Amino acid sequence: MPEHAPIPPLLREAGEHFLAGRLGDSERLCRQAIQQHPDSPDAWDLLGLLAMRAGRSEPAVECHLRAVRLDPSRAAFHVHLADANRMAHKLDLAIAGYRAALRLDPRAGGALLNLGAALAASGRADEAADAWRAAVALDPDDAEALWNLANLSSQLGRFADTVAYSQRALRLVPGRAALLSNLGIAYEQQGRLDDAIACFREALAASPHHELSFSNLLRDLSAHATAPPGEVFAEHVRWGDAFAAPLRAHHRPHGNDPSPDRRLRIGYVSPDFRDHAVASFVEPILAGHDRERFEVFCYSAAPRIDAVTKRLQAYGQAWRNIVGVADAAAAEMVRRDAIDILVDLAGHTAGHRLLLMARRPAPVQVTYLGYPNTTGLKEIDYRVTDALADPPGEADALHSERLVRLPRCGWCYRPPDDAPPVAAEPPSDRRDGRITFGSFNAHAKTSPQTVAAWAAVLRAAPGSRLLLKAYALGESDTRQLLLKRFADAGIGAERLDLRGPTATRAEHLAAYGEVDVALDPFPYNGTTTTCEAMWMGVPVVTLAGRSHIARVGVSLLSAVGLGDLVASSPEQYVATATALAAGAARRQELRRNLRATMAGSPLCDGAAMTRALEAAYRAMWQKWCSAGR
C-alpha cells in the first residue's frame, strides 16, 4: 500500500477508539480492517500498538515487523517495532530499529529518547548519553531527555552533570518531585547535605505523597549533625502516618498457628541480596540459622543478580523474587507463605519495601541492619540493635518500634573472600615516619564537623597526610568542592590524597596498605568501612555520639577490644588519633594481629550472633502468642 494511501473508514474508526482508550472496540475493528485490507501497514501497526498496550510483546513484534515489511519507508513503523522489541527485552534489535528510524527521520517521534533507554539498559551508558544529548540538541526544551541525562549522570558518578541537567529540566517543569529528588541525591553525594535536604523538602511541598523524596529526606535528616533528634523522629512518624495509615483499613487477622515453641517461618525482605554492604552482615545469619527450628524465606528486591546473590540462594532457604512485584501482591505472597516473623533489612534506604510491611502481612514484624534509625512505621513491632549503639533511655523514646538489644554486638561481619593479605609493615615505615590517616567512607558522610576534626588531626600531626577514597571523589568537581572545604579549614591540597573508586574490591582493600590510622566520620559512622579497615590491619578512631547513626563505631570497636579508640568529644577524637599515630609500636602490633583478633571476636562469630538473634525471634513470637494474637 503506498505511504499516503487513504486510511479505510473501518481502520480510521479503530484508531479513534484506540485514542479514546476503548481498546476492545479498537481491536475488533482493527481485525476487521485487516480482513478487508490484509496488506495495510497502518492496520498491522495499530494491531501491534494494541498488543503492546495489553503487555503482549511477542505478538506486538510480529505485527510491527509486518508493518515495516509492507512499508519500510515509514520511520514511525520502525520506532514502534523497536519499542516492541525493547518490551520483549530484545535490546539489540530495538537499538537497530531506532537507528533505522533515525536514518529516515532524525526527528522521528521518541526515537532518540527510546534509543537512549535501550542503550542504557544494554550497559552502553556513553552511547545512551549521546542519544539523549542529541535529543536535547534537536529540542532544548525536551525535559524528559534532560531528566534521563540527569539520572544517567548520577548512576555514573558525574554529579556535577546531574546537578546541571536537573536544574535545566526543573526550569522547564518546575516543582517536579522526581527531578528535585534526583537533584537532592546529587547534592548529597557532593557532600552538600543542607542543599539535599532543601531539595527533598521542596519536592514534598510540590508532591506531598512522593514517597521517594520523603524517604530520602529522612535518611539525610538522620545523618545531619545538628538536626534535633526529636524532630527527626517526628518526621519519621509523619512518614508512617502519610503512607501507612491509608492501608490500615485493609489489615486482616493472621491465621498462623500460635504454638509458642513450634518451628517458625522467618522472612527477610531486602533490595540488597547482592554485592552490597548489607549482604556482608546478613550472610552469616542466613548461613547459620538452625533449620530444625526455623524455616527461612528471602524476599529479594535486588535490582540485579550477581555472584553474592547466587551464594545467598545456595544456603537452601526459600527464595522469592519480588522485583517489579507490587507491594500489595508481595504482601499476599508473604501471607501465602504463612510467615511468622517478617524482617525488613533496608529501612528508608534505596529500593526499600516498607509499604509491603505497612500491609502487615505477618503477625510479627521487625527491622534490622539496613537503616540507622526508626522506620516510623507502627506496623513494625521491633528494631534489633545492641546496648552500645542504642543505650537504654533516650533511644527508646525516639523509636516507633520496641528496641531489642542483642547481648553482645548488633552486627556480625563476613570478611570478603578476595581480601588481600595485610600489608607487612605500616606505610609510615616506608615514608620516613610520615603518617597517613585515611577514610574510605561514602563522601556524603563527610560532614562539616568531620572536616573540622580531620583538619585538626592534620595540624596536630606535622607532616601527616589524609587519604580519602570514595565513589563520589572520582569526579573532579566533587574533589574541588572538598579541597575548598579543607582549604577553608587551613589544610592545603598537598596534604590530601583524594581518590575515586577502583576496579575491584581487592584493589579497594589493598589501598588500606597505604593507611596508618583510619578516621571514622561523624555523626554518620561507617559500618562496612570500619570492618574492612580493621580486617586490613588498620585501627579506626571513632567519636561516640548520642544516636545510633553516631554510635555504630562504638559497638564495632568495642566488639574487637578497641574501646580505647572511642572518643567522647571532638577534642578527644583528635587527641586519640594523634596519639595512635605517634605510637608506632602499637600500630605495628595491631597491623600484625588485628585480623586474627577480629576473626576471633564477637564481630565475626556468626554462630553466636545467629543464636542470639534466634532467641530474640523466639521471645517476640512467644509474646505474640501470649497476647492472644
Side-chain angles (χ1 to χ4, degrees), residues 472-484 498-499:
L473 293 178
E475 181 189 50
S476 173
D477 293 76
T478 304
R479 291 195 301 273
Q480 291 305 314
L481 287 169
L482 184 57
L483 287 172
K484 184 180 185 305
L498 308 183
R499 302 185 193 177

Side-chain angles (χ1 to χ4, degrees), residues 219 222-224 372 389 523-526 547-553:
R219 187 183 63 247
S222 297
H224 199 280
Y524 196 168
N525 292 171
S547 61
H548 178 99
I549 204 167
R551 297 186 59 83
V552 172

Side-chain angles (χ1 to χ4, degrees), residues 196-225:
I197 288 171
C199 269
F200 300 139
R201 289 199 184 281
E202 186 179 350
L204 289 170
S207 300
H209 293 288
H210 194 255
E211 195 280 323
L212 175 62
S213 293
F214 210 146
S215 281
N216 288 341
L217 173 65
L218 297 179
R219 187 183 63 247
D220 281 2
L221 285 174
S222 297
H224 199 280

Side-chain angles (χ1 to χ4, degrees), residues 206-384:
S207 300
H209 293 288
H210 194 255
E211 195 280 323
L212 175 62
S213 293
F214 210 146
S215 281
N216 288 341
L217 173 65
L218 297 179
R219 187 183 63 247
D220 281 2
L221 285 174
S222 297
H224 199 280
T226 61
E231 292 182 17
V232 177
F233 172 59
E235 289 282 27
H236 281 79
V237 172
R238 191 164 71 89
W239 179 93
D241 290 340
F243 295 100
L247 302 173
R248 288 172 187 149
H250 304 290
H251 290 179
R252 308 197 307 272
H254 298 95
N256 303 56
D257 175 1
S259 302
D261 298 315
R262 67 172 174 81
R263 188 187 190 207
L264 296 179
R265 290 188 163 202
I266 311 295
Y268 292 99
V269 183
S270 178
D272 302 321
F273 290 131
R274 54 191 171 95
D275 188 4
H276 185 278
V278 167
S280 298
F281 297 94
V282 76
E283 183 167 354
I285 297 166
L286 297 181
H289 267 306
D290 182 344
R291 294 300 195 269
E292 292 185 2
R293 300 175 62 238
F294 298 89
E295 187 176 0
V296 179
F297 292 69
C298 290
Y299 298 89
S300 176
R304 63 181 181 276
I305 295 174
D306 58 23
V308 174
T309 310
K310 293 175 182 176
R311 194 169 68 229
L312 297 178
Q313 289 174 324
Y315 288 115
Q317 54 271 342
W319 194 272
R320 307 283 189 258
N321 183 358
I322 59 170
V323 175
V325 178
D327 290 318
E332 287 305 310
M333 190 183 300
V334 172
R335 277 186 172 272
R336 286 195 302 273
D337 287 335
I339 297 301
D340 300 307
I341 301 177
L342 188 64
V343 185
D344 157 64
L345 298 174
H348 286 279
T349 60
H352 74 74
R353 302 302 294 267
L354 287 178
L355 294 182
L356 185 166
M357 308 289 289
R359 288 167 164 80
R360 180 63 89 168
V364 178
Q365 300 198 145
V366 183
T367 187
Y368 178 44
L369 280 181
Y371 184 63
N373 207 336
T374 182
T375 62
L377 190 59
K378 294 176 183 177
E379 284 72 19
I380 295 185
D381 308 293
Y382 301 97
R383 178 168 172 269
V384 176

